[in-house]
Amino acid sequence: MATLVYDFTQGNKDQKALLGGKGANLAEMTRLGLPVPPGFTITTDACREYLRTGTEPAGLADEVTAHLRRLERQMGRRLGDPDDPLLVSVRSGAAFSMPGMMETILDIGLNDRSVYGLAAQRGESEHSAWDSYRRLIEMFGRTVFGVDFDRARPSVDDPRELVASYQKVFREHTGREFPQDPREQLDLAVRAVFESWNSERATLYRRQERIPAHLGTAVNVMAMVFGNLGEDSGTGVAFTRDPATGERGVYGDYLQNAQGEDVVAGIRNTVPLQDLARLDPASYAELLHHMTVLENHYRDLCDIEFTIEHGKLWMLQTRVGKRTAAAAFVIASQLVDEGLIDLDEALARITGAQLAQLMFPAFEIRPGVRAIASGIGASPGAAVGRVAFDSGRATALAAGGDRVILVRRETNPDDLPGMIAAQGVLTSRGGKTSHAAVVARGMGKTCVCGAEELEVDAARRELTVGGRVVREADVLSIDGTSGKVYLGELPVAPSPVVRYFEGERAPATDRLVAAVHRMLTHADTRRRLGVRANADTGTDAARARRFGAEGVGLCRTEHMFLGDRRPLVERLILASDDRERELALAGLLPLQQADFEEIFRAMDGVPVTIRLLDPPLHEFLPSLEELAVKVGVAEALGKDPGSDLALLAAVRRMHEANPMLGLRGVRLGLVVPGLFAMQVRAIVRAAVAHRDAGGDPKAEIMVPLVGAVQELETVRAEAEKLVAELGDGLPVRIGTMIEVPRAALTAGEIAHAADFFSFGTNDLTQMGWGFSRDDVEGAFFSRYLELGIFGMSPFESIDRAGIGRMIRIAVDEGRAARPDLHIGVCGEHGGDPDSVRFFHEAGLDYVSCSPYRVPIARLEAGRAAVAGSASDTR
Ligand code: ADP
Ligand code: MG
Ligand code: MG
């Protein structure tokens, strides 16, 4: 078997998989000559082996013994020595940071005899030895045997009596004495840390953070140092930059005369780290020096745990620190200025998801405003509304014009109407894959879930939190990014980053905006993918252009059929002869033409892809149920239902069991005479008008839902005729959506009739999986995510293995048939960070997404292009 134990002097920071993050970084600090208490790391291999077999791997005990002997020699003390004992900590540490999820046990090596030895060594602060012993019994008992010590916190002050009382509880709970053999303590502690990998909370955390379940944790055994030996001792945490804003400076907290866990647990009030300059100038100067060494070495923000024992500084932990989205941009840009990294590396260190966060409006938190609860930020945004405890109340409140927060213990498919009506959703149970989280993300609605402090009582229409009662119709504010819940209405501030994109703020106004500007500019120089926007109106198109879109990749024409144009559309659908139909179409034509002209103006000189009408016709007609009731009532009252009768007949005729798979897209165009021709006319006339006004229109006509090349050929022939007739030499490209699986699989044929392809990944995903998004997200997606059938909703992020495979086939066969074929994507995935990377790899020419996602797609396309040349660590 391979080596199972590494001394801190043997490893380095690149061995996270084997030594865990904590162990690898302790080794790295040791290598850099920083003052790290000596110790060793038991590998994740050993943990995996233990978890697989249920026993410690052969040879582990011997290796631990050898390293322990070495540690004892180095420290000049022996574990369990009654006169001057060596104490060690046993610390978990996985490859990925899982803060607070697993166990750490301090002060291993104390027993009824060595505690006297330690007390004697401690002289004046002898009580601290007893305090350490008490802590050991508590941590060890809780971690190894699950002992609940709450009962053992009597009013005794004498630490010796406390030890006795803790030992008694230990005995009562476990049926055995607290182990006096230090080696037994050590072995049981190591085993408990191994097992903490599979604790319920660690398992849940991993599932939510998508950390693989099989990795296991390493275990670090380290000589104890003591921050609780008086005024010249203490412990603290430090950041090399402000993890909230990225600002340079000294950030952290210090606690005099205390052990590290006291800071982490927030038991006592800390002082700002700067105060250490006064309390212990020498240690402070040394700490700042080490911080600089670490920053320069890791070339990134580091966070640090340290302890000072009688004026001697010890470094206990470091890692590349977590940071807010804003800090990530600012720090990346600063590090470039400081010459520590280049722009490519900076790009690798920020993500589209972080940029997306910065584009949401956020609450303005005034000093003194405190959250009443906090849960998991499951779907970002800042939502304010009145509380409703069930779906019915939510819809009712919303119908009355109120903004609503739907509050549930957990949601289920029956809550869908309420979720749609609400501004935001708040639950007290469940994580990122819960029903509430999945559905809210799908709808782009703010969601906080798993806010466990809330006791939700839907029957009594109230919730209790920290002794406070919130009743129906009270106002709450929820932050879907931080997961915080506030009482009352908090003011919402627009995102400075969005204001910059809108041209309302110069790049130099603040550090964050400047950093975003710089990163996007660099991404634009690197990316190979073009970025267009999905925009249906001149306003959207103009905004998209301000956000950096290089054209419109999808202009949906269906909205142009709604609103006050409905009567015309009804006339078209109900037309009983050609003349009536032509009249209706003639009425629609100038309206469509005006719409297109507006978009061509906003997108002058860049391509505009206009999709011919896609949705099923019944979407433009009144609902069957409502109409049937209306007619029924009229008839019962002996009144004449008038035109409603004909309408009802038509709606009945057009009713489809499965409209998503019915008469829509190209099928509709081939069935309703003159419909597509009217749209093509409107497009060509709009383009000609724009050109005649001195503009440069680049029109592209896109045919939806094609499954067979013959469909496209038929539409194309008619469209080409109209373009030749009306276009006066205007170049108009004609292409197709690839969104029916059959189209992807026959792309080689279809390419002969298409100037371009655009993947409609929503439909391709629905039809590829054989489920409709509207039905399945609410019904069973949360279960599927829980079971790990997929790691993320395939509507959020492209399913590479399945849907992605169809895309690759279509790209390869399409290009083989027609090398100049231009290929893009216009489904929702065009703005999803992971999917953008896939589209880059698959060799697409551009992605198209909603205007607000354009900057995210630009950034991710740039990141995809530099990936491989720079390391991507987050
Ligand atoms: P976590 O991973 O949850 O942060 P740690 O392993 O870092 O847990 O341990 C928790 C605290 O215990 C740390 O803040 C550290 O200060 C303290 N600690 C761990 N090992 C030692 C040690 N050898 N000497 C002194 N304090 C220690
Ligand atoms: Mg720690
Ligand atoms: Mg579609």
Side-chain angles (χ1 to χ4, degrees):
M1 183 120 196
T3 307
L4 297 173
V5 183
Y6 286 73
D7 195 87
F8 288 167
T9 53
Q10 292 173 316
N12 66 60
K13 72 173 182 354
D14 300 321
Q15 290 179 300
K16 286 202 178 83
L18 183 68
L19 303 178
K22 202 179 286 168
N25 288 326
L26 283 168
E28 189 76 9
M29 284 200 288
T30 305
R31 250 168 32 91
L32 288 171
L34 268 49
V36 177
F40 52 87
T41 303
I42 302 172
T43 66
T44 55
D45 281 344
C47 174
R48 280 192 298 271
E49 182 72 4
Y50 172 83
L51 293 176
R52 194 173 65 78
T53 61
T55 50
E56 283 77 1
L60 178 62
D62 290 344
E63 282 190 52
V64 168
T65 304
H67 281 271
L68 195 56
R69 289 289 98 80
R70 188 174 147 166
L71 180 60
E72 287 175 337
R73 275 199 305 280
Q74 234 173 321
M75 300 298 294
R77 293 192 177 113
R78 253 183 335 100
L79 198 68
D81 184 331
D83 297 325
D84 186 10
L86 167 70
L87 304 187
V88 296
S89 63
V90 173
R91 314 170 69 184
S92 58
F96 296 93
S97 164
M98 295 172 56
M101 285 302 135
M102 290 175 303
E103 303 296 350
T104 285
I105 302 176
L106 305 181
D107 300 323
I108 296 256
L110 282 173
N111 57 24
D112 293 350
R113 288 182 63 203
S114 64
V115 68
Y116 283 98
L118 187 69
Q121 294 290 330
R122 295 250 167 116
E124 267 181 29
S125 46
E126 71 169 312
H127 73 274
S128 74
W130 292 92
D131 187 50
S132 295
Y133 193 24
R134 196 262 312 157
R135 285 172 196 246
L136 168 64
I137 300 166
E138 175 169 8
M139 272 195 238
F140 183 91
R142 189 166 33 76
T143 308
V144 180
F145 290 98
V147 182
D148 173 8
F149 283 97
D150 280 352
R151 283 178 297 140
R153 230 155 256 151
S155 51
V156 272
D157 278 339
D158 183 353
R160 293 183 207 215
E161 275 180 46
L162 261 182
V163 164
S165 122
Y166 273 64
Q167 284 187 331
K168 182 158 163 279
V169 175
F170 185 95
R171 193 181 312 118
E172 283 166 4
H173 189 286
T174 63
R176 60 166 288 179
E177 292 296 330
F178 177 75
Q180 294 295 310
D181 173 3
R183 181 59 194 262
E184 189 189 0
Q185 292 174 2
L186 178 63
D187 290 342
L188 287 175
V190 168
R191 182 184 281 199
V193 171
F194 283 162
E195 284 175 355
S196 70
W197 175 258
N198 279 334
S199 72
E200 209 172 300
R201 66 186 164 154
T203 307
L204 188 68
Y205 182 85
R206 280 199 298 274
R207 204 177 281 149
Q208 279 168 359
E209 299 299 316
R210 309 249 156 267
I211 297 173
H214 67 272
L215 298 178
T217 179
V219 185
N220 303 290
V221 178
M222 187 172 180
M224 283 297 301
V225 292
F226 299 93
N228 55 348
L229 299 186
E231 304 281 275
D232 62 350
S233 304
T235 187
V237 294
F239 297 87
T240 57
R241 300 177 196 231
D242 186 339
T245 65
E247 235 34 70
R248 294 213 64 168
V250 177
Y251 294 88
D253 302 301
Y254 184 69
L255 194 54
Q256 217 173 7
N257 193 13
Q259 279 288 70
E261 35 158 3
D262 303 337
V263 181
V264 181
I267 293 169
R268 282 165 47 193
N269 281 340
T270 56
V271 299
L273 185 58
Q274 281 85 343
D275 289 10
L276 185 61
R278 183 172 43 79
L279 296 169
D280 183 347
S283 295
Y284 184 70
E286 190 187 342
L287 179 66
L288 292 197
H289 173 73
H290 296 329
M291 282 164 69
T292 309
V293 169
L294 287 174
E295 265 238 351
N296 290 336
H297 185 69
Y298 284 86
R299 300 178 303 131
D300 207 344
L301 160 79
C302 294
D303 74 26
I304 291 158
E305 292 176 6
F306 67 92
T307 283
I308 298 172
E309 177 179 323
H310 289 316
K312 159 84 183 134
L313 174 69
W314 293 99
M315 304 289 277
L316 296 185
Q317 183 174 330
T318 193
R319 69 189 155 200
V320 168
K322 294 220 158 99
R323 68 206 69 189
T324 62
F329 275 83
V330 170
I331 291 172
S333 183
Q334 283 172 348
L335 291 172
V336 174
D337 289 337
E338 290 161 25
L340 287 174
I341 61 176
D342 63 15
L343 276 166
D344 279 359
E345 170 86 34
L347 212 46
R349 291 188 181 190
I350 51 175
T351 65
Q354 286 168 332
L355 181 57
Q357 264 184 35
L358 295 174
M359 291 178 66
F360 282 99
F363 288 127
E364 276 173 42
I365 313 279
R366 302 211 180 92
V369 173
R370 291 195 153 266
I372 55 167
S374 85
I376 295 159
S379 180
V384 180
R386 294 189 182 280
V387 173
F389 287 101
D390 63 51
S391 179
R393 288 298 298 161
T395 19
L397 276 173
D402 275 312
R403 291 174 300 165
V404 177
I405 304 289
L406 177 67
V407 181
R408 304 284 288 158
R409 209 167 283 172
E410 51 208 342
T411 61
N412 64 49
D414 295 338
D415 293 317
L416 271 178
M419 295 179 75
I420 292 166
Q423 255 57 46
V425 181
L426 169 64
T427 68
S428 58
R429 296 222 189 114
K432 275 186 186 160
T433 62
S434 65
H435 179 268
V438 173
V439 177
R441 273 202 301 278
M443 298 194 297
K445 210 144 266 192
T446 301
C447 175
V448 172
C449 57
E452 287 174 2
E453 299 118 294
L454 303 181
E455 277 190 46
V456 178
D457 190 338
R460 300 183 56 181
R461 300 188 177 286
E462 61 181 43
L463 69 84
T464 355
V465 54
R468 202 185 260 128
V469 180
V470 177
R471 301 207 166 76
E472 193 149 84
D474 286 355
V475 174
L476 285 183
S477 300
I478 63 172
D479 184 332
T481 307
S482 68
K484 294 244 178 350
V485 180
Y486 302 89
L487 202 59
E489 171 164 359
L490 294 193
V492 176
S495 145
V497 172
V498 168
R499 293 188 55 200
Y500 149 68
F501 291 137
E502 288 286 13
E504 295 163 9
R505 262 184 152 198
T509 37
D510 66 43
R511 245 182 254 281
L512 172 60
V513 169
V516 168
H517 172 77
R518 183 184 206 179
M519 291 303 141
L520 274 173
T521 308
H522 185 63
D524 286 342
T525 66
R526 293 304 241 140
R527 68 190 158 88
R528 203 205 60 226
L529 277 176
V531 178
R532 299 196 198 173
N534 301 347
D536 306 349
T537 63
T539 316
D540 275 0
R543 162 172 300 128
R545 206 154 189 193
R546 291 194 296 274
F547 283 25
E550 300 154 315
V552 167
L554 174 65
C555 168
R556 298 178 179 89
T557 53
E558 35 269 27
H559 88 276
M560 302 171 179
F561 280 60
L562 297 174
D564 49 8
R565 302 169 185 184
R566 246 175 210 279
L568 278 173
V569 178
E570 276 185 24
R571 240 175 102 185
L572 168 70
I573 300 170
L574 298 175
S576 52
D577 58 39
D578 290 353
R579 221 190 95 68
E580 261 183 56
R581 182 179 315 111
E582 273 157 25
L583 275 175
L585 286 169
L588 282 165
L589 182 111
L591 301 172
Q592 290 240 287
Q593 183 180 333
D595 291 333
F596 296 142
E597 275 180 50
E598 221 184 288
I599 296 177
F600 286 135
R601 272 197 297 274
M603 286 286 169
D604 186 58
V606 291
V608 174
T609 311
I610 298 168
R611 180 177 71 184
L612 302 179
L613 194 66
D614 179 36
L617 271 193
H618 77 253
E619 280 198 15
F620 303 108
L621 294 174
S623 106
L624 178 60
E625 285 91 346
E626 273 172 34
L627 203 57
V629 170
K630 210 168 148 202
V631 169
V633 169
E635 280 171 347
L637 293 175
K639 288 189 192 155
D640 178 11
S643 64
D644 283 347
L645 207 58
L647 195 55
L648 179 61
V651 174
R652 283 227 167 92
R653 203 170 55 238
M654 257 165 265
H655 180 75
E656 292 173 310
N658 201 334
M660 292 313 283
L661 302 176
L663 182 62
R664 49 179 285 228
V666 66
R667 305 163 193 166
L668 196 62
L670 295 175
V671 165
V672 179
L675 175 62
F676 276 10
M678 180 277 289
Q679 293 202 291
V680 173
R681 269 197 195 96
I683 294 167
V684 178
R685 284 191 185 170
V688 168
H690 183 57
R691 188 189 57 186
D692 290 350
D696 178 16
K698 289 197 163 26
E700 300 186 338
I701 295 173
M702 180 155 76
V703 184
L705 224 74
V706 163
V709 67
Q710 293 85 349
E711 291 171 314
L712 183 60
E713 282 167 352
T714 310
V715 175
R716 185 182 180 99
E718 190 184 14
E720 275 179 335
K721 227 170 70 200
L722 288 168
V723 172
E725 211 172 276
L726 307 167
D728 189 17
L730 190 85
V732 176
R733 297 212 282 183
I734 301 172
T736 182
M737 306 262 311
I738 301 287
E739 53 187 339
V740 174
R742 191 181 187 283
L745 300 176
T746 59
E749 288 176 16
I750 291 178
H752 291 296
D755 301 325
F756 62 88
F757 281 176
S758 180
F759 290 101
T761 50
N762 297 352
D763 268 311
L764 198 57
T765 300
Q766 302 201 88
M767 295 191 218
W769 278 88
F771 47 44
S772 91
R773 170 170 198 167
D774 294 341
D775 295 322
V776 295
E777 276 194 341
F780 63 80
F781 262 31
S782 53
R783 184 73 185 129
Y784 267 41
L785 288 161
E786 244 170 55
L787 293 170
I789 292 171
F790 26 70
M792 206 193 253
S793 159
F795 290 112
E796 267 180 67
S797 195
I798 197 88
D799 152 36
R800 289 179 179 233
I803 308 305
R805 173 126 200 272
M806 284 199 277
I807 290 174
R808 284 185 188 276
I809 290 171
V811 170
D812 290 350
E813 299 187 0
R815 287 238 173 89
R818 182 171 190 154
D820 67 341
L821 187 71
H822 204 236
I823 306 181
V825 57
C826 64
E828 227 124 289
H829 296 92
D832 167 67
D834 275 346
S835 310
V836 171
R837 181 157 293 199
F838 170 77
F839 297 134
H840 168 89
E841 289 162 9
L844 267 55
D845 296 299
Y846 69 91
V847 297
S848 184
C849 54
S850 69
Y852 278 92
R853 296 234 132 210
V854 164
I856 297 158
R858 286 164 58 199
L859 188 75
E860 282 298 335
R863 296 185 69 234
V866 302
S869 60
S871 66
D872 183 7
T873 47
R874 263 163 299 280

